[in-house]
Each structure stands twice: as structure tokens, then as C-alpha cells.
Amino acid sequence: MEGRLANSWRLTVNDKNFIKTALLSEIRIDGRKPFEYRKISIKFGREDGSSEVQLGQTRVMGMVTAQLVQPYRDRPKEGILSIFTEFSPMADPSFEPGRPGELAVELGRIIDRGLRESRAVDTESLCILAGKFVWAIRIDLHILDNGGNLVDAANIAALASLLTFRRPECSLGGEDGQEVIVHPPEIREPLPLTVHHLPIAISFGFFSNESILVIDPTHNEEAVMGGRMTTTVNANGDICAIQKSGGEGVRQRVIMQCLQLATSKAASITKQIKDAVEVFNTERALRKVKRHPTSTGVDVREKQN
């Protein structure tokens, strides 16, 4: 909310009126149609679990790490999944360093709810020794540029990082079989996470008492819109989560319209994420072959004879 207020102060009255007037004619200031999504770009770092997503002028970097910890008492056979966000003032002057603001907390909760409540990540497969050792998966999301709709961009970055992350393989040893042995990647190939489906967050902006609806609002549109709703769905049309922020209540007809649009967009975004991950995995396999070339022995004496 504080990011939206800070941006609204930078917009003049004429700018706000221009945005609203254009929307009445189904024209957006960046040339898109009301239900048109901005171009998505997904890039990966050389390390597993690192990604950078660009949605229009919005850029978010995701990083996934893991460590062995003791599980929660009420869930001794399940791993832990946590999300942390970092809003840098370099991304937006309204972001203050230090304590997370309201926008940072809300963003983390929306993504966490979509992943956790839909059980997209198999946390039971993260258990090494029940009640003693499980993998704790940490997702760090760094906001690099705020061009609007941070939730959707950050959600894609989180999913892309999860799909390319690999944790070390473990085995049990010792005299009592209770000692956890973590194998380095040179000895045993790290294991990918088990991800059952991809919960895609699709955000909508409401204008003029919800008479105007747009998808993927920009930074300037967020300063003018009266409310926002984020629907998290997968490619199968399953509803994972719904978050309504600001404005008045939304009619059932509008909610159903948003869900239909979100399901269509989620299918195309899911395909784009999987295609990008497939390219990364292919490049990763080629790099591994170059690091460990196979050599065949040659009998020199046979050639001499």
C-alpha cells in the first residue's frame, strides 16, 4: 500500500485523469488491451536455483537454498518451505531498507499461500530422518525494478528457481544407522525437488468502482486503481488461492470472470516456465559433460605394430 501511495504522489492530476480516460476507451498507456499480459522473460544463473524474471519493466531475482534442520514437532516427516523478500530502494524510492513494509509482507504471504495450501512442493520427500532431520527450503526474492505487478513477477521467479534447484543427496550411516551423510555433487548427483504443479499468480486491477477491469497492472496504473485481486491457479484450472486488496467487495460475476481469464493465462505462463527450465537443464547437462569428459584408453603398442 505504501508503494502505491508514494507512486500516486509522483503522478500529476492530469496523468491520473489521462489513465482513467484512456481505460474508458479500453486503451492502456503502454498500448496493451485490458486483458493483455506484458512480455515475460526468464533467465537463469549458472548456479542451480537462481533465476531472474522480467515482466515489462518489473524485474525480480529468485534464489533457492537448502539446509538440514530439525522438523516441526507437529510435522515430523515434512520438510520446511519459507519465503523471504527484499525490497531495495534502488528498485523504487518508496522502498525503505531494513524492516519489511506492508507490501513486502503481503507479497510473501500471497506466494507462500499459493505454494503451501496447494501443496505444490512435496515436503514429505524432504524428510531424511523422521523427527530429526529434514530439508528446509528457503526462497529469497529480490526486487530489482518495480514496474508494477510485483506479485506475479515474484511468483514466476520463485517457481523458476524451485524447478532448477537441486539439493544434495543424503544417506544414513553410522553404527546405529542414525547418522546423516551428505554427499557432495562430485560423488552423487544432486536431486531436484518434487513439484506436483505450478500455482501461477495472476493479478487484476479495478477502476471506477470495479466497472473497469485490467490484468497485469503497471506501476502507474496501480497508483490510480481502486482495488486489486490476485488469483492463484494452475494450468488445470484448480484454484490455489485468492487475495483481495483494497477497494470495495467484488461481485461474484466479476470473480468468475477473473478466474476464467487467470486459468487461460496460467496455462500459457506454465508452458513458458517449463520451456525455459528445459533449456536450462539441457545447457546444464552440456556443461557437466564438458567438466567431466569421457576418455577412452588407446593401446599404443597395437598402433606401433
Side-chain angles (χ1 to χ4, degrees), residues 75 108 129 183 197 215 290 296 305:
R75 295 180 178 180
L129 189 60
H183 301 281
H197 63 94
I215 197 172
K290 291 180 180 179
T296 56
N305 294 335

Side-chain angles (χ1 to χ4, degrees), residues 29-275:
I29 56 177
D30 58 0
R32 288 184 295 154
K33 297 179 180 179
F35 302 144
E36 185 177 351
Y37 221 77
R38 286 176 293 178
K39 181 180 178 181
I40 301 174
S41 172
I42 304 175
K43 299 179 182 179
F44 298 98
R46 295 188 65 86
E47 296 183 1
D48 295 338
S50 173
S51 70
E52 180 179 328
V53 172
Q54 182 166 353
L55 176 61
Q57 299 299 319
T58 300
R59 288 196 306 133
V60 180
M61 182 177 69
M63 174 68 72
V64 173
T65 55
Q67 63 175 347
L68 285 174
V69 298
Q70 187 175 356
Y72 297 128
R73 291 184 178 180
D74 57 339
R75 295 180 178 180
K77 297 182 180 180
E78 292 187 17
I80 301 172
L81 180 67
S82 55
I83 298 175
F84 296 85
T85 58
E86 180 182 347
F87 283 54
S88 170
M90 296 184 64
D92 192 317
S94 65
F95 298 156
E96 297 182 0
R99 183 180 179 182
E102 180 183 345
L103 182 60
V105 174
E106 181 183 18
L107 185 145
R109 287 177 178 174
I110 293 175
I111 299 176
D112 179 81
R113 188 181 299 117
L115 287 170
R116 194 185 306 275
E117 294 189 2
S118 67
R119 303 191 69 85
V121 179
D122 186 2
T123 54
E124 292 185 358
S125 65
L126 301 175
C127 178
I128 303 301
L129 189 60
K132 293 186 176 181
F133 292 104
V134 298
W135 284 107
I137 305 300
R138 171 176 174 141
I139 306 174
D140 285 283
L141 299 171
H142 303 272
I143 309 302
L144 303 179
D145 284 309
N146 182 17
N149 198 11
L150 291 175
V151 172
D152 293 14
N155 185 79
I156 296 174
L159 295 176
S161 298
L162 285 172
L163 290 175
T164 55
F165 176 73
R166 285 169 170 77
R167 62 170 180 84
E169 185 175 357
C170 299
S171 61
L172 298 178
E175 296 180 356
D176 56 354
Q178 300 293 303
E179 179 182 349
V180 177
I181 303 173
V182 180
H183 301 281
E186 296 80 11
I187 304 301
R188 292 191 183 182
E189 180 69 15
L191 302 176
L193 300 177
T194 302
V195 181
H196 297 302
H197 63 94
L198 300 183
I200 305 297
I202 305 295
S203 295
F204 299 87
F206 300 102
F207 301 84
S208 302
N209 296 327
E210 300 176 2
S211 61
I212 299 177
L213 174 69
V214 302
I215 197 172
D216 181 25
T218 63
H219 197 26
N220 288 338
E221 289 174 341
E222 288 178 340
V224 182
M225 66 186 188
R228 165 198 290 272
M229 185 172 72
T230 300
T231 61
T232 304
V233 299
N234 59 22
N236 299 324
D238 301 324
I239 303 173
C240 304
I242 297 180
Q243 173 79 12
K244 174 69 169 61
S245 304
E248 300 178 354
V250 182
R251 293 186 295 272
Q252 181 179 358
R253 175 183 59 81
V254 178
I255 295 177
M256 295 305 298
Q257 181 185 8
C258 291
L259 290 174
Q260 292 177 355
L261 292 170
T263 301
S264 175
K265 298 296 181 184
S268 61
I269 294 176
T270 297
K271 182 179 184 304
Q272 188 171 353
I273 295 175
K274 290 184 176 180
D275 290 345

